[in-house]
Amino acid sequence: MTATFTPKENSTLPAAWHRLTPIWQGGEEVIQQSLPHTHLAPTWQMLLLGDGSPTRHLELLTGEPTEVDVIDMSLIGMDSDAAPDLIQAVPGPRLRRQVWLRTASGQRLAYATSWWEASHVDEYLQNRSLPIWASLARLRTELYRDVRGIYHGYSAALQSGFEVPGPFWGRHYLFWHHGQPLTLIYEVFSPYLTKYLGPMQLSSTNGKV
C-alpha cells in the first residue's frame, strides 16, 4: 500500500510522534484497581480507564461533533517507532497515523497516535478524516478496547499544540477485532477538559479512595 499525506501548514507537530515524558505511569494492575481519587479524579478515571469510545465521550461532554485533523501518516515498516512494547502485537509492515481530536469550533481536546498493519489500514479507515470510532462504527466492526498503560507527564510539543501547560494524562490500548489485535493507540488529553470534567485530582480534604 502506498500512503500519501500532505501536512497542514499550521501543524505544530513534526513527523515524529510525541509521547509523554512521564512523572508517573501505571500498567494493567493499576488500571484494573483504579487510582486513588487524590491522584486522578473519578470523572477523569472514567475517561482514561474506561473501555468506551473517547470520541463519543468528547461529543457528549462538549455538545459538539468531534472532528479530526490528520497530521501524519507514515509507513514505518517493522520499526518499533519508540512505541509501547505492544506494537509487536500489530502485524507489520506498519503505518503510523497521528491526529488532533477537536470540536467542530476548533478547540483541540486530544492527540492520538495509532499504529496499523499497513496492508489493512484502508479497509478500516475508508474516510481518514473521520475519528477511528466513527469509521469502525460505520463498518459495524465489533471491537474490544484493551487499556494497558496510563501516563502522567509532559510534552513540549503537546503543550504547544494544546496551548495549555502540562502535565497531561495519557494512555495506550489495543483494539481487538475477532480475537486479533487490530491497532495500537496512544492518546493524550488536554487539560482544557477540566471545563467539563472538573479538576484532574481531588484534594486530600475533599476526596478519599
Side-chain angles (χ1 to χ4, degrees):
M1 189 202 80
T2 301
T4 59
F5 173 71
T6 302
K8 292 180 177 291
E9 291 182 0
N10 62 352
S11 173
T12 59
L13 294 182
W17 75 282
H18 292 277
R19 65 188 301 166
L20 296 176
T21 299
I23 53 179
W24 177 90
Q25 65 186 67
E28 291 180 78
E29 183 176 349
V30 170
I31 291 165
Q32 291 298 321
Q33 295 180 354
S34 78
L35 281 68
H37 293 171
T38 51
H39 197 66
L40 184 63
T43 50
W44 281 85
Q45 294 201 44
M46 292 175 66
L47 177 66
L48 282 154
L49 304 183
D51 58 6
S53 163
T55 304
R56 179 59 175 156
H57 289 162
L58 294 175
E59 290 181 344
L60 293 172
L61 287 170
T62 65
E64 294 188 53
T66 300
E67 298 187 356
V68 167
D69 290 328
V70 180
I71 54 178
D72 168 51
M73 292 191 73
S74 299
L75 291 168
I76 61 168
M78 301 302 295
D79 194 282
S80 62
D81 204 29
D85 291 343
L86 277 175
I87 194 174
Q88 302 302 327
V90 179
R94 306 180 189 97
L95 179 142
R96 181 189 66 210
R97 177 180 188 253
Q98 295 184 74
V99 302
W100 292 112
L101 297 178
R102 60 171 174 81
T103 62
S105 58
Q107 177 64 51
R108 287 175 175 169
L109 303 175
Y111 160 82
T113 302
S114 56
W115 294 269
W116 303 76
E117 184 177 1
S119 61
H120 288 167
V121 68
D122 283 339
E123 178 182 348
Y124 295 104
L125 298 180
Q126 295 175 1
N127 182 344
R128 295 183 180 180
S129 66
L130 290 176
I132 290 174
W133 170 78
S135 295
L136 298 177
R138 287 188 174 192
L139 298 172
R140 301 293 190 267
T141 304
E142 295 183 5
L143 297 167
Y144 170 61
R145 191 186 313 267
D146 186 8
V147 182
R148 296 287 193 92
I150 183 171
Y151 308 90
H152 193 213
Y154 291 91
S155 163
L158 295 183
Q159 178 169 311
S160 175
F162 287 136
E163 298 183 335
V164 291
F168 307 103
W169 282 96
R171 65 178 183 172
H172 75 264
Y173 57 88
L174 278 174
F175 259 152
W176 292 82
H177 176 50
H178 290 163
Q180 299 296 321
L182 175 64
T183 179
L184 172 65
I185 300 179
Y186 186 104
E187 292 173 337
V188 180
F189 294 94
S190 171
Y192 177 83
L193 291 169
T194 56
K195 175 179 178 180
Y196 306 100
L197 294 171
M200 294 180 179
Q201 293 93 15
L202 298 182
S203 70
S204 58
T205 59
N206 65 8
K208 298 182 179 179
V209 178

